Amino acid sequence: MTPFSRRRFLCLSAAVIGGACSSTPDGSSAPSTSGDGATPTPTTTPTTPVTTAAPTTSAPLAADPFALGVASGDPDPTSVVLWTRLIGAGLPDTVPVRWELSAEDDFATLEADGVETATADDGHSVHALATAPPGEWFYRFSAGGFTSAVGRTRVPAADAASARFVSASCQNYEHGFFHAHADIAEQRPDFMVWLGDYIYEGGGGEITPENGNVRTHGAVEPTTVAEYRARYELYKRDPNLQAAHAVCPWFVIWDDHEVENNYAATAPQDGSDSTVFATRRAGAYKVWWEHMPVRLPAPTGDPAQDYRIYRQVSWGSLLELTLLDGRQYRDDQTCGDPPLNLDPACPETFDDTRTMLGGEQEAFVAASVGALGAAWTVLAQQTVMLDLGIGEAVINYDQWDGYPAARSRLTTMFAERALANVVVLTGDIHLGGVGVIRDGEPGVGEPVATEFVCSSISSNGNVPAEQAGALAELFADLVDAEILRRGYILHAVDAAQWRAEYRTVDDVKAETSGVSTWQTFVVDAGATAVRPA
Ligand SMILES: [Fe+2]
C-alpha cells in the first residue's frame, strides 16, 4: 500500500463512503424471460400492417396529458413494454389510451396497436405489451385528442451477436443537469441498463453556494404515494431524461433512494419504526412501478408483502443479464453503518448467515446464472462488489464489503462453475471505476469477474479535486477510477470482446456542457484481465 496521510486516506475513502471530504455531500442513492409467472397478460395481438388514420379514443381532455414523455423497456425477441403516464387536473378516473407501433416514424403503416385503460388507482400509468418481430420500432400514444411524443425502441433478435448499450445510475435532480442523458440520446444505443437511484428522496432546499445545488426538489421529503408521484413528475419533466427514454428500451432496477437512503429491507436509515417504514416503502414501490417501463405486475401496495423485481433477461445469444435487488431483502448494515471507520469491523459483519440478496433471490441466482449459455454472463446490480476493504476495516458497510459471506457465496459459485466472461455492472457510488472481482483475498484470489462501476448521471461525487487520481493505489483490485466527473458507460460487446467506454460530463453544474470519453477498457473473451484500450 502506498503511504498516505490519515487526512488523505479519509478523503480518498470518501469516494466509497460518501461525504467525508465533500462540500456538497450526496445526501446519501419484464418480464422475466426465465419465467416465474409474473408476466402480465399480453394486451394486444399482432396485426397485419394497415394504413392508419388519426387515432381517436376518448372524450376530449382539457390539456395535453403526455408531459412526462414516453418510454419502453424489458424487450424480448417477440415483444416490448411501452410506457406512458397521463397527468393533469381533472383527468377522469379511467381514460382509454391508444398506442401504436410502426416501422416508420410517421406511422404510415402499423405493426401493432391497442387500447389500454389508464386508471387513477395506478396513477394513470400505461404499460402496454406490444408484440413485434426483432428490429427497430417507433411508438406513440393518444388520448382525449392529444398525441404523445414518438419513441424509438428495439426488439432484439434471438441470435443477436453484438450490442451497444449503456449502464447508468444516480440522477440527483438538485446536484446537476442531465447532460449525460442528452449524450445517451445522441449515441442511440440499443438499450439501457438502469442501476437505480432514479429519484432522490431528499427534501428540497435553497440553492446556495454552500450546497452547490443547481435545481431544487421544491418539496418535503416524500413519504406518501402522492408525494412520491410528485417527485417522479419533477424528474420526468426533464427533457434530457425524456430523450434518453425515447431513444431505446430500458431494463430498470432500483437502488435505495427510490425509497430512502441506505434502507435495508424494512429497516429505515434512522432506525425508526419499521412498521411505519414498511407502509412508506410499499407506496414508494408502487409509484416506482407506475413510472417505469417494466414487464412486472402492479404491486399490491400491501406493506406486508415483498415486491419482486429481480429477474433474468437476455440480448440475443450475446448477453445474459441477471438484474438484482440488493435493497429489499438485505440484512441491516452492521456496526451501526458508520460513514467512515478505520477500526476493525465488528464481529457480526462476518456472520455467515448475513445476506445481501435474501435466500430466495440467492437461490434464483444460483439456479439461473449461466443457464442461458450466452457469450457473456452479466450481473446488473447496485453496490460495489470488488473488495475495497483496508486491512480489517470495512470503510463502507453499505457495499458488498459489509456482506463478506454473501459475496463469498457468489464468487465461489463463479469459481466452482468455471464461468468465463462474467461482468458485473454496478452503480450507487458516484464514481467511475473498473476492477477485478476475486474469489478470495484482494490481489491474491482467483479472478472471477470484471466490474464496471458507472459513476452518476448527476449526483455529487465525494472526493475533492486535489485528492483524485490516487484512489487506485489504495486498493489492489481497483484497476482505475474517475472520481471527479459525472457520467455513464457505453458498452460495445460482441462474442470476442467487451469494450467499456466511460463517458464523462465536462461540467454537470453548468446549463450547457460537453460530454467526452475519459477512457475505454477492454476485456477479451476468455481472459481474466481488463486493460485500457
Ligand atoms: Fe446514488
Side-chain angles (χ1 to χ4, degrees):
M1 183 183 302
T2 305
F4 53 88
S5 70
R6 180 177 175 85
R7 167 68 183 167
R8 177 162 173 254
F9 166 72
L10 293 175
C11 291
L12 292 169
S13 300
V16 286
I17 60 90
C21 287
S22 172
S23 60
T24 55
D26 174 30
S28 55
S29 123
S32 164
T33 56
S34 61
D36 66 342
T39 305
T41 304
T43 53
T44 180
T45 53
T47 59
T48 303
V50 294
T51 301
T52 181
T56 56
T57 57
S58 64
L61 296 173
D64 184 353
F66 295 111
L68 302 187
V70 300
S72 69
D74 281 344
D76 70 11
T78 63
S79 61
V80 61
V81 174
L82 308 179
W83 172 94
T84 193
R85 182 187 161 217
L86 314 186
I87 59 168
L91 282 176
D93 280 353
T94 62
V95 182
V97 181
R98 177 175 164 80
W99 59 267
E100 300 170 309
L101 188 83
S102 174
E104 301 104 16
D105 61 7
D106 63 359
F107 296 84
T109 60
L110 297 185
E111 173 65 23
D113 62 343
V115 175
E116 293 285 319
T117 300
T119 69
D121 283 348
D122 287 337
H124 290 103
S125 61
V126 176
H127 299 75
L129 188 66
T131 301
E136 179 183 67
W137 300 102
F138 299 92
Y139 62 95
R140 66 182 179 186
F141 300 87
S142 58
F146 294 91
T147 301
S148 73
V150 173
R152 165 189 178 262
T153 192
R154 293 194 73 84
V155 171
D159 61 352
S162 66
R164 268 177 87 250
F165 73 97
V166 166
S167 64
S169 71
C170 298
Q171 52 187 11
N172 190 309
Y173 181 86
E174 296 190 321
H175 290 177
F177 296 100
F178 294 169
H179 304 305
H181 279 308
D183 190 62
I184 289 166
E186 287 185 17
Q187 296 289 345
R188 297 175 70 82
D190 294 325
F191 62 94
M192 158 78 87
V193 179
W194 180 261
L195 298 167
D197 284 357
Y198 193 97
I199 60 163
Y200 281 70
E201 82 284 11
E206 301 287 313
I207 298 171
T208 68
E210 287 70 33
N211 65 31
N213 290 347
V214 299
R215 303 188 284 193
T216 178
H217 286 144
V220 299
E221 180 168 333
T223 58
T224 67
V225 165
E227 290 166 350
Y228 277 109
R229 281 177 181 158
R231 184 58 54 91
Y232 278 93
E233 289 169 21
L234 176 70
Y235 279 59
K236 279 193 163 284
R237 285 179 184 275
D238 184 282
N240 291 335
L241 176 56
Q242 290 192 10
H245 273 298
V247 79
C248 69
W250 289 32
F251 297 103
V252 181
I253 52 176
W254 60 39
D255 196 6
D256 51 343
H257 286 282
E258 284 85 350
V259 182
E260 184 203 44
N261 182 50
N262 282 12
Y263 80 94
T266 55
Q269 181 181 31
D270 62 4
S272 59
D273 183 79
S274 66
T275 303
V276 172
F277 180 76
T279 299
R280 175 183 179 181
R281 192 187 81 163
Y285 286 177
K286 172 176 164 51
V287 177
W288 174 87
W289 173 84
E290 289 175 357
H291 290 85
M292 294 298 122
V294 288
R295 195 182 309 208
L296 296 169
T300 63
D302 180 353
Q305 292 185 348
D306 293 331
Y307 179 58
R308 175 178 165 173
I309 68 163
Y310 63 81
R311 59 204 189 273
Q312 188 175 65
V313 299
S314 61
W315 195 267
S317 55
L318 183 71
L319 298 168
E320 172 194 283
L321 293 149
T322 303
L323 311 177
L324 300 183
D325 177 354
R327 292 292 169 187
Q328 187 173 190
Y329 313 101
R330 67 158 71 190
D331 285 317
D332 203 2
Q333 294 89 348
T334 55
C335 316
D337 193 13
L340 174 62
N341 194 322
L342 299 179
D343 297 332
C346 58
E348 55 263 39
T349 306
F350 305 98
D351 184 335
D352 284 346
T353 66
R354 278 174 52 72
T355 181
M356 171 75 91
L357 301 176
E360 288 186 14
Q361 186 174 194
E362 273 198 35
F364 169 79
V365 170
S368 55
V369 164
L372 299 185
W376 297 88
T377 299
V378 184
L379 295 184
Q381 54 93 53
Q382 292 80 16
T383 49
V384 174
M385 193 175 289
L386 70 91
D387 194 321
L388 296 176
I390 302 261
E392 295 179 357
V394 169
I395 55 179
N396 188 333
Y397 287 87
D398 187 54
Q399 311 291 307
W400 283 91
D401 277 351
Y403 300 78
R407 174 172 58 194
S408 184
R409 290 194 292 273
L410 267 186
T411 57
T412 299
M413 181 188 73
F414 292 148
E416 288 180 349
R417 295 185 183 181
L419 283 176
N421 307 332
V422 179
V423 170
V424 176
L425 301 177
T426 299
D428 185 74
I429 203 72
H430 308 179
L431 62 78
V434 55
V436 177
I437 296 170
R438 297 180 190 274
D439 184 36
E441 293 300 305
V444 176
E446 177 186 352
V448 294
T450 301
E451 183 165 19
F452 294 119
V453 187
C454 67
S455 187
S456 60
I457 293 291
S458 60
S459 306
N460 286 342
N462 297 294
V463 177
E466 65 272 19
Q467 303 293 348
L471 194 68
E473 299 173 19
L474 281 173
F475 306 106
D477 293 338
L478 184 64
V479 173
D480 208 343
E482 156 56 63
I483 297 161
L484 296 180
R485 287 175 293 178
R486 309 303 97 217
Y488 69 93
I489 309 174
L490 181 62
H491 305 273
V493 185
D494 60 26
Q497 192 177 77
W498 188 301
R499 298 176 66 86
E501 179 182 355
Y502 283 66
R503 300 284 291 169
T504 49
V505 178
D506 295 342
D507 186 353
V508 78
K509 306 282 189 185
E511 289 198 35
T512 60
S513 172
V515 179
S516 59
T517 296
W518 166 55
Q519 280 202 70
T520 298
F521 295 90
V522 173
V523 181
D524 294 313
T528 56
V530 55
R531 56 183 168 82

